Amino acid sequence: MKYSRITGTGSYLPEKILTNAELERMVETSDDWIVSRTGVRERRIAAEGENTVDLAERAARPAIEAAGIDTQDIDLIVLATTTPDQVFPATACLLQKRLELHGCPAFDIQAVCTGFVYALDVADKFIRTESAKCALVVGAETFSRIIDWTDRATCVLFGDGAGAVIIQAQDAPGIISSHLHADGQYTSLLEVPAGVSQSYDKVRNGQAYVRMGGSEVFKVAVNTLGQIVDETLAANNMQKSDVTWLVPHQANIRIIAATARKLGISMDHVVVTVDRHGNTSAASIPLAFDEAVRDGRIKRDDTVLMEAFGGGFTWGSVLLKY
Ligand code: UT7
């Protein structure tokens, strides 16, 4: 049986920085409230005309370069996004066109903030079953496009960005295990209540916005992420101390700290970007992972736990040897 291993990482953030001070002028909020309740100090916002595929391409190219592969070696593209450029084709296909690839499967995954974990697991399974040898896995979002900029409960939280990895077939892990879950009973706690089949007029009028019951989501997220840590370690007969790095979804520093406590890992071994990126949904884990690989914190053979929680609810983890 083959395993997959991450051989290259890349990421991209739009140029425009939106600070808490600027948000103070837009809605009734304060830098103090945002920092103490969420840990976010600033986030990036895509420029007009800069779309999810643009961000995805700018994350994918450095990942391809870091892996030292030829773009034509890619035989699978899986792209996680909640903010696709178009209803169809999939943003993965738009990216495929940019990369001048022809014929390999390319599709999007919609699992909101857990999207990258879902995408990585799916791509890993293609490689394990020898249906692919070299996959490009991307998390890319222009979440700013589905934000109600008059709703202080959500507009301070999110940002735009993209991250990517190349995974390739090898004889040893690599990705050790993945654990995916969803529970549709909570759909109304975190949603954009409009789409193609329902309330399309809101999409047309630019009023399809994120709605969230923040404190309810918070409680379920903390409990669920604690459980996924236990599930992942137990499945591999591993101890908490075997994990070198935690790369969590970046929704809220308090949720991240609670998961780190559960894992008994010091915050020095948790990759945190929420202060500078905000919550970039499916992009947050690959953005954080790329940052820590490139600055030398995450090293070859380190054991890394990625975990995420998001709309659906969806949640999951990937345990890997880098
Ligand atoms: O990534 C997908 C998953 N998403 C998450 O995991 C997000 C989970 N939720 C959270 O991170 C937190 O619940 C929030 C950061 C969204 C909110 O923090 P909280 O500590 O749960 O606050 P809250 O919603 O209970 O609101 C506390 C107060 C309220 O005022 P009252 O009712 O106590 O008078 C809110 O109206 O804070 C108020 N508030 C704000 N005040 C200033 C809400 N948003 C703001 C704001 N600025 N931006």
Side-chain angles (χ1 to χ4, degrees):
M1 174 144 137
K2 289 281 175 199
Y3 293 93
S4 59
R5 187 165 206 145
I6 295 177
T7 55
T9 67
S11 61
Y12 174 73
L13 289 163
E15 266 173 43
K16 185 184 163 34
I17 296 173
L18 179 64
T19 63
N20 290 350
E22 286 167 275
L23 281 163
E24 282 177 351
R25 295 194 286 275
M26 293 160 63
V27 288
E28 201 184 322
T29 191
S30 65
D31 176 54
D32 186 47
W33 190 96
I34 302 171
V35 172
S36 63
R37 298 290 180 116
T38 73
V40 183
R41 292 181 186 276
E42 60 185 41
R43 68 290 289 147
R44 300 297 181 105
I45 306 293
E48 214 182 312
E50 190 178 35
N51 297 332
T52 298
V53 71
D54 300 307
L55 276 49
E57 182 185 0
R58 296 185 79 156
R61 290 200 184 278
I64 293 165
E65 196 183 326
I69 58 160
D70 189 295
T71 306
Q72 298 301 322
D73 294 337
I74 294 168
D75 56 6
L76 170 69
I77 301 175
V78 187
L79 187 147
T81 190
T82 302
T83 48
D85 288 42
Q86 300 176 202
V87 174
F88 72 86
T91 307
C93 296
L94 304 179
L95 177 62
Q96 186 182 34
K97 181 179 176 186
R98 296 277 181 94
L99 298 175
E100 295 177 20
L101 283 166
H102 305 280
C104 73
F107 55 90
D108 287 359
I109 294 238
Q110 158 56 304
V112 204
C113 299
T114 317
F116 183 76
V117 167
Y118 268 62
L120 195 52
D121 183 31
V122 168
D124 176 53
K125 289 189 162 98
F126 267 75
I127 286 185
R128 283 192 191 222
T129 55
E130 302 191 32
S131 305
K133 287 194 177 70
C134 180
L136 169 61
V137 186
V138 184
E141 301 277 17
T142 46
F143 233 71
S144 60
R145 307 270 155 81
I146 50 168
I147 294 300
D148 175 355
W149 291 101
T150 65
D151 175 16
R152 70 176 184 172
T154 52
C155 75
V156 302
L157 304 174
F158 295 94
D160 300 335
V165 299
I166 295 288
I167 60 172
Q168 290 181 264
Q170 301 209 348
D171 291 328
I175 292 178
I176 299 166
S177 73
S178 311
H179 306 267
L180 302 187
H181 297 279
D183 189 341
Q185 74 169 303
Y186 299 107
T187 44
S188 61
L189 280 181
L190 179 50
E191 62 177 341
V192 175
V196 178
S197 180
Q198 179 199 317
S199 308
Y200 192 55
D201 54 316
K202 285 192 189 162
V203 178
R204 270 206 206 96
N205 300 330
Q207 290 172 331
Y209 298 135
V210 175
R211 295 276 171 248
M212 176 164 69
S215 54
E216 291 94 333
V217 176
F218 186 97
K219 284 176 212 136
V220 185
V222 169
N223 283 334
T224 309
L225 290 171
Q227 287 162 21
I228 200 89
V229 166
D230 289 340
E231 179 187 334
T232 310
L233 294 176
N236 296 291
N237 210 8
M238 284 171 73
Q239 309 300 315
K240 293 174 178 177
S241 55
D242 294 329
V243 176
T244 333
W245 285 99
L246 176 65
V247 183
H249 169 51
Q250 311 280 323
N252 185 317
I253 190 67
R254 293 184 291 142
I255 298 176
I256 294 172
T259 312
R261 273 197 299 280
K262 171 84 189 176
L263 193 56
I265 199 167
S266 119
M267 286 302 283
D268 295 345
H269 280 255
V270 181
V271 183
V272 175
T273 57
V274 69
D275 52 331
R276 289 157 292 125
H277 301 176
N279 180 349
T280 57
S281 184
S284 87
I285 289 179
L287 268 162
F289 188 72
D290 180 52
E291 181 176 289
V293 165
R294 283 178 188 266
D295 68 20
R297 275 178 290 168
I298 296 181
K299 297 187 176 55
R300 280 286 164 207
D301 288 328
D302 280 353
T303 302
V304 177
L305 176 62
M306 298 174 172
E307 46 80 353
F309 180 90
F313 290 146
T314 54
W315 65 98
S317 65
V318 175
L319 185 73
L320 60 90
K321 269 218 181 299
Y322 173 55

